[in-house]
Amino acid sequence: MSGQALKGHLDLLLLAVMADGPKHGYAAIEALRERSDEVFDLPEGTVYPALHRLEKAGYLTSEWTEVQGRRRRTYRLTKRGTSALGEERATWDQFSAAVGRVIGGTPWPATP
Amino acid sequence: MSGQALKGHLDLLLLAVMADGPKHGYAAIEALRERSDEVFDLPEGTVYPALHRLEKAGYLTSEWTEVQGRRRRTYRLTKRGTSALGEERATWDQFSAAVGRVIGGTPWPATP
DNA sequence: CTTGACACCTTGTTTTTCTAGGTATAGGAT
DNA sequence: ATCCTATACCTAGAAAAACAAGGTGTCAAG
């Protein structure tokens, strides 16, 4: 799944890793890769604009820090971000359950 | 979820309902609504182009029929469509499991 | 004879994701 | 010294998907 196919759920994933503690973008990519068991290996060109989007939406705040000569922009979940995460989690649960019902549909009723 | 947010999983859903038996587009919309318990209520402008896409990809074939003065284009899953469905199902399983690991991640280890 | 359900369609907009570049530092290998 | 890799950020443009909003036409009920 390294290629395409994230499909609109990136915000949820990003908010979820940020809820685990403040992180900079590069670290978020690694966290996503690790926590998903290598399923998500997102290109920077996907993640950085998404973080900017989330910050503009008020779900994250950022501040620049300098660690060993390297500048980092560290993001932190806001209150609004936390509640957005809750809503997105609920939406995901509903969505994935619905997909499960559709694709797992028993073609014939189980013979009792 | 009537609003937005189908996010690239429409092909899977459509192939799944077609696997249950040949259907025309309008019937597919209803099947999706019912099987998802009203979660998916897709606009025609979303579904019809998707069916055309799937036919062009060789996953569906269609034929025109006339039922009580109304013309219908009935779609049927092809062999390639059946195997595509299998792959998409597997992709979905992997994807949803990965999302679950990321968003359900235990922030702190459960105290035993 | 109008309304609503049925049944199909397309055009254009928006949003998201990705590709493909670019910049710059640190540290290890050559 | 120089190169490579990993770290760490960024943007511009392309492609795709989902949708909104329009359109056509039939049939049945009121």
Side-chain angles (χ1 to χ4, degrees), chain B:
Chain B
M1 194 164 300
S2 30
Q4 10 271 38
L6 242 205
K7 298 151 175 176
H9 305 285
L10 179 57
D11 291 7
L12 167 63
L13 297 173
L14 249 15
L15 293 176
V17 298
M18 289 305 173
D20 211 25
K23 270 170 199 60
H24 59 286
Y26 202 86
I29 291 174
E30 291 178 327
L32 242 20
R33 187 169 45 232
E34 285 160 24
R35 286 168 63 153
S36 73
D37 283 338
E38 321 296 312
V39 173
F40 300 132
D41 190 11
L42 309 184
E44 302 174 10
T46 294
V47 173
Y48 288 125
L51 290 172
H52 299 161
R53 234 194 305 128
L54 292 170
E55 181 170 22
K56 209 161 86 179
Y59 298 154
L60 299 174
T61 46
S62 72
E63 51 179 331
W64 285 100
T65 55
E66 182 103 6
V67 177
Q68 286 170 347
R70 282 186 190 101
R71 56 173 197 152
R72 290 177 174 176
R73 178 177 274 193
T74 298
Y75 291 90
R76 182 184 308 274
L77 205 59
T78 64
K79 253 169 230 175
R80 290 194 54 201
T82 304
S83 82
L85 173 57
E87 285 163 36
E88 295 227 41
R89 243 194 257 263
T91 299
W92 165 259
D93 287 342
Q94 196 195 13
F95 176 77
S96 61
V99 172
R101 282 193 298 273
V102 171
I103 73 174
T106 346
W108 314 277
T111 41

Side-chain angles (χ1 to χ4, degrees), chain A residues 55-101:
Chain A
E55 181 170 23
K56 209 161 89 180
Y59 298 153
L60 299 175
T61 47
S62 72
E63 53 179 330
W64 285 101
T65 56
E66 183 103 7
V67 177
Q68 286 170 346
R70 281 185 192 102
R71 56 173 198 154
R72 291 177 173 176
R73 177 177 277 194
T74 298
Y75 291 91
R76 183 183 309 275
L77 206 59
T78 64
K79 256 171 226 174
R80 291 194 55 203
T82 304
S83 83
L85 172 57
E87 286 163 35
E88 294 226 43
R89 244 194 257 262
T91 300
W92 164 259
D93 287 342
Q94 197 195 12
F95 175 77
S96 61
V99 171
R101 283 194 296 275

